[in-house]
Amino acid sequence: MIKIYSTLTRQLEEFKTIEPSVVKWYNCGPTVNGLMHLGHARSAIAFDTIRRYLEYKEYKVEYVMNFTDIEDRVIEVAKQEQRAVLEVAEEYLSYFRRDMASLNLKEATVHPRAMLHINQMIEFIEGLIEKGYAYESGGDVYFDVRKFDEYGKLSNQKIDNILQEGTEDAKNPKKRFPADFALWKEKKEGEPYWFSPWGDGRVGWSIECSQMSMMYLGDTLDIHSGGQDLIFPHHENEIAQSEALTGKPFAKYWLHNGYVNIDKEKMSKSLGNFVNIVDLLQHYSPDAVRLFVLQTHYRSPITFTEDAIDQAQITSDRLFDVILLTKNYATDTTVDESALSDLDKDLLEKITKAREDFVNAMDEDFNTSNGFAVVFDYSREVNDYLRKADKINGAVINKADELFDEFRSVFGLYEDFNSYLSMDLVEKLVKLLVELRGEYRKEKNWEMSDKIRDELKQAGVTLEDNPKRILWKLSEN
Ligand SMILES: [Zn+2]
């Protein structure tokens, strides 16, 4: 049984989907106004892994993640760079997709973009006005928070307290009440705008996630997720808009990931102390970055230091080596129960135990930190077996390898393993043959040296005899 912590109830709950075995999940994606940094990556990796785990548990996950392409921050960058908003959004969106692929993040079922849903958002706002939850004022439209009794339930605050803290433009005279938030904003000079029943303008930020999540997943979602910084006002506003319109609960479970800190400051673009993924991947493997992120539970803060990511790289390389070794010795045969040594039996038990321990760890609010502890212990045990066994049982090791595959599928590690593995082997074998051929040539054994060259050529490897050394390459076809 999976237990999941929801920000809404502030406790662990039993995970039960609305529709059996189907998870309808909306994750707030990035605003595309800059390069993907470690803060974005942490959130994306954490939720990608939870999604992978739910798939491992045989749920069908309908995962929707938006790209916010029309918002204050995108417009600001466009102004600074003196470019069109759409052009800026397109560019950063393509970088995001590139970096997401590098980090082995699974594609969402749908990646909706706000700019393509403006008409549907206008209809959504019209619905709220009709129901008396929103009002037009001087070309803007605001949500009337006092009409929605439960406003503040996600961020656990009362309307009065929200007022004391003050929201962005609490003093805006167009509002009836300072905590009311914009659904539609009147056109501003030099900014993109759309036609609407209330005049030219553009949508407020939060309406896009309410509209797109409900359009693709239905009125009630199983999971809604995002960074902790989105709890208020973004997710609070989403709940108010959606529940006011439908009268139904908007999302069953609210998941929020913790921050990434550098020197204990929250890492975000606005603070300037961020690490871009494209730079990070110049020095570290995607697996090391994933491992670094997942060694901490998704709700806890992570402190980024160079030492910590260096260590993650070492740990990742070691784990890879054991898995590589395991793959080398695994045979595609069934275990012959009558021919097992004590060490074989012991390893089979450890495989079963490790799988159970892993599932128990992950079932507890997706505790990847404990999950990794299981993986590391397990890799030590497999490594011990490979070194100690008098005779390595390929069928038993194949079972061990299957469990490694399960771990890899959940954590999204070493995805291109098979291509790496085969290229690595090809390289070693070709090098060996090239060396042998060199020996034959020294002995002037032209028959053997030509035979090797011709056979390699047939296999698609061409050799080029240079005065200094023999170069080889795989032929195009
Ligand atoms: Zn959102």
Side-chain angles (χ1 to χ4, degrees), residues 354-409:
R355 184 180 280 110
E356 277 171 18
D357 290 348
F358 177 72
V359 167
N360 287 339
M362 292 295 287
D363 273 357
E364 194 72 14
D365 196 28
F366 315 104
N367 196 321
T368 54
S369 173
N370 291 344
F372 259 114
V374 173
V375 174
F376 296 145
D377 282 347
Y378 173 70
S379 77
R380 269 190 292 275
E381 284 159 357
V382 175
N383 201 23
D384 277 355
Y385 171 91
L386 288 170
R387 275 148 224 281
K388 283 182 194 159
D390 293 327
K391 184 173 173 296
I392 291 174
N393 185 322
V396 170
I397 276 299
N398 193 40
K399 291 276 171 209
D401 184 44
E402 278 170 13
L403 185 56
F404 273 132
D405 282 349
E406 290 173 32
F407 293 154
R408 290 200 299 121
S409 76

Side-chain angles (χ1 to χ4, degrees), residues 82-93 115:
Q82 293 189 309
R83 295 158 71 200
V85 174
L86 189 63
E87 189 191 330
V88 168
E90 282 295 331
E91 183 180 338
Y92 286 117
L93 199 134
M115 264 199 237

Side-chain angles (χ1 to χ4, degrees), residues 26 28 66 205 209 224 230 234-235 238:
Y26 187 87
C28 280
N66 68 311
W205 171 32
C209 288
H224 196 312
L230 297 182
H234 185 53
H235 288 165
E238 277 192 49

